[in-house]
Amino acid sequence: MFTYEEKKYLLTVLKKQKTKAFFRKTPEVNDRLIEKLEQMIRNEDVNERELRNKF
């Protein structure tokens, strides 16, 4: 399991790799990983906001 900061860093690295390989096809797993990491980060952001509002 990764921490929030590690997920954000991994997402930026994957996105940089995708832009560097703009004309080359990146592996499909990279696209799925990017989508999954974005989803996980969004969920953590929402959960954190909800917890803050709850207390």
Side-chain angles (χ1 to χ4, degrees), residues 1 3-4 7 9 11-13 18 20 23 26-28 34 41 53:
M1 194 50 80
T3 65
Y4 180 78
K7 290 175 191 171
Y9 175 75
L11 182 62
T12 56
V13 168
K18 187 174 178 101
K20 284 182 182 178
F23 295 109
T26 56
E28 193 173 311
I34 288 172
I41 289 170
N53 290 338

Side-chain angles (χ1 to χ4, degrees), residues 9-24:
Y9 175 75
L10 185 57
L11 182 62
T12 56
V13 168
L14 284 172
K15 283 187 173 182
K16 274 185 192 175
Q17 182 182 11
K18 187 174 178 101
T19 56
K20 284 182 182 178
F22 186 71
F23 295 109
R24 289 182 286 136

